[in-house]
Amino acid sequence: MLRKAGLLLIAVLLLAGCSGKVAFQKGEKFSLEGDYDRAVMFYRQALREDPENVSFKTRLTKAQDLAVQNHAQRASQYLKDKNAEVAVYEAQQALAFGPENERAKQLLYEAGKLKELQTHFAAGQNFYAAGRPNEALDEFSKVLEQEPDNPDARAFIERITKQRATLNQDNEELTL
């Protein structure tokens, strides 16, 4: 009975070691393919099953660094393309893999500012289309606070200002 228990324990330990290696091999496969997100997942699994394995720790760290770099690079590109939603997502992914990464933090900040700017601009357009120029001006002014050289917001403000001037002139002519 004791012998069976000992053999069972050895078999469980061997299987645990094998499953760590299987997860590690999957991590290696995904790492070679450039899918660092999945590689990290499998390296973490391997490390959970063999927490003292230095190779597992080393490969996990490297894959996390590469995942951060990939997501940060994509976030940067989406920022250049003015795609705030996806830039925010990519920056958040970079931070998930490297919470202390300063570049990822900066990208998330910039993406958040771009998203805020785009939200104000869209709100301004909606107010303008709804015939609510005061609210539109407020929103376009918020855009210019963040981005003083924004030509689209400036154009809307000029259009609204001209419309108001024309309206005031028409009202003056009617009262004369």
Side-chain angles (χ1 to χ4, degrees):
M1 184 69 147
L2 211 48
R3 183 176 177 171
K4 282 185 180 179
L7 289 174
L8 183 61
L9 180 61
I10 290 171
V12 168
L13 291 174
L14 285 174
L15 285 174
C18 289
S19 62
K21 287 181 182 178
V22 168
F24 180 77
Q25 288 170 347
K26 286 182 181 179
E28 291 286 279
K29 173 188 172 289
F30 286 115
S31 184
L32 287 172
E33 293 172 359
D35 187 346
Y36 301 111
D37 294 10
R38 284 191 179 150
V40 166
M41 180 181 72
F42 283 106
Y43 289 142
R44 284 178 179 164
Q45 179 183 339
L47 200 56
R48 277 192 304 271
E49 294 171 11
D50 188 358
E52 302 305 317
N53 190 310
V54 176
S55 286
F56 293 1
K57 289 178 186 178
T58 303
R59 295 300 288 167
L60 172 61
T61 300
K62 184 175 181 181
Q64 285 175 318
D65 290 344
L66 291 169
V68 170
Q69 288 175 16
N70 281 348
H71 285 290
Q73 185 176 10
R74 286 195 293 259
S76 181
Q77 184 58 51
Y78 284 118
L79 271 172
K80 288 177 188 170
D81 296 341
K82 302 291 186 194
N83 188 337
E85 292 284 331
V86 182
V88 166
Y89 171 79
E90 289 294 343
Q92 288 172 333
Q93 290 298 106
L95 280 173
F97 288 106
E100 299 305 315
N101 187 284
E102 291 302 318
R103 181 173 179 226
K105 289 177 184 179
Q106 181 63 31
L107 287 167
L108 182 58
Y109 172 78
E110 291 173 22
K113 294 300 279 182
L114 177 61
K115 185 176 177 180
E116 181 182 348
L117 183 129
Q118 290 175 342
T119 299
H120 287 301
F121 187 82
Q125 287 179 309
N126 290 336
F127 284 130
Y128 181 78
R132 296 168 58 186
N134 292 337
E135 291 94 334
L137 278 174
D138 288 343
E139 294 299 327
F140 292 127
S141 294
K142 289 175 185 174
V143 170
L144 291 180
E145 286 172 15
Q146 290 181 39
E147 193 178 85
D149 296 329
N150 187 299
D152 297 324
R154 284 199 178 286
F156 269 106
I157 288 175
E158 288 175 19
R159 187 179 309 158
I160 294 168
T161 305
K162 285 180 184 176
Q163 287 173 347
R164 282 184 170 178
T166 303
L167 203 64
N168 287 340
Q169 187 178 14
D170 290 345
N171 286 339
E172 285 178 14
E173 289 174 5
L174 287 176
T175 57
L176 294 175

